[in-house]
Amino acid sequence: MLGERLRELRSARGLTLRRLADETGLSAGLLSQLENGRTDPSIETLRRLAKVFDSDLADLFREPDAPEVHLSRPGERLRMQAPTGLLTYERLTSGRGNFEMLRGVLAPGDTSAAEPRGHASSECVYVIEGEIVASIGGIDHPVVGGEAITFDSRLPHLFRNDGDIDAVILLAVTPPAP
């Protein structure tokens, strides 16, 4: 699904894998693996691709033919890998484009991003297990298991785990954004 979308976007712009590699600073081999579904992309890789395609991150996942009913099963979900110390997400929703639901696990000491970022969306983060600190607009908000925090995503934000156990979160974003 993501690989097919990337191939479609690349072909629509008349780009070869080599040319796309040059424009993104990624290797042609990695791009080929992404298109063929043999590897999961990092969030930074997705951002580079979205920039070259002059779109947003959510557009990379938009699937015009996504089913009206989507069952998300463990082990079959798209994973968006992050560098060590950053949050890795699993996408729980289909690519229909109106909202996105993600599951993430923050290990102790991990954060969701290297620095706070904002984007034009609304978010709700529900903590299933453990606890996080949601830094939103420069203010830290502790959120423990069973609690949720909702905010305007245009405010620069990130989530971090200052605790001693993994924090498992559900994140809803509408509309989907990078």
Side-chain angles (χ1 to χ4, degrees), residues 55-67:
S55 66
D56 59 38
L57 198 88
D59 190 46
L60 299 179
F61 298 102
R62 220 165 257 122
E63 297 175 41
D65 298 326

Side-chain angles (χ1 to χ4, degrees), residues 126-132 142-148:
Y126 175 75
V127 178
I128 298 171
E129 297 174 16
E131 60 185 86
I132 64 168
V143 187
V144 300
E147 295 181 339

Side-chain angles (χ1 to χ4, degrees), residues 41-89:
S42 72
I43 294 169
E44 179 58 28
T45 294
L46 293 171
R47 285 188 178 127
R48 289 183 189 192
L49 288 164
K51 184 176 180 180
V52 168
F53 294 139
D54 195 30
S55 66
D56 59 38
L57 198 88
D59 190 46
L60 299 179
F61 298 102
R62 220 165 257 122
E63 297 175 41
D65 298 326
E68 289 185 20
V69 176
H70 172 76
L71 178 60
S72 172
R73 290 192 168 102
E76 297 176 6
R77 299 176 184 137
L78 173 72
R79 292 177 52 89
M80 292 177 277
Q81 297 289 97
T84 301
L86 297 180
L87 177 62
T88 296
Y89 294 106

